[in-house]
Amino acid sequence: MAQLKKKMCKLAGDGLKKKEEAIIAEVLHPKYICKKCLRVSTNKDLLCSPKKLE
């Protein structure tokens, strides 16, 4: 499985089809949400302004 190197917030313009499998793995069971753009991830380092989901 491919791992993401960029923050989720920056992936929007990067040809998401190539990274689809890695993105799905990150959002399947999210632990964090970005306070700026509301994207979610299991890894807070992939979000620009993360907040832990309760």
Side-chain angles (χ1 to χ4, degrees):
M1 178 185 322
Q3 289 190 340
L4 299 173
K5 296 181 193 241
K6 283 188 173 183
K7 293 187 184 294
M8 299 283 286
C9 307
K10 299 289 184 185
L11 288 174
D14 285 355
L16 296 178
K17 230 16 182 174
K18 297 178 202 173
K19 298 172 178 84
E20 185 175 358
E21 188 176 314
I23 292 169
I24 290 171
E26 282 300 325
V27 301
L28 198 54
H29 301 290
K31 294 180 182 176
Y32 300 91
I33 187 166
C34 179
K35 294 183 282 185
K36 289 184 179 181
C37 63
L38 301 178
R39 287 178 172 87
V40 295
S41 179
T42 59
N43 181 346
K44 70 178 181 178
D45 295 332
L46 294 176
L47 300 172
C48 56
S49 187
K51 177 184 178 187
K52 187 165 178 79
L53 292 171
E54 312 252 339

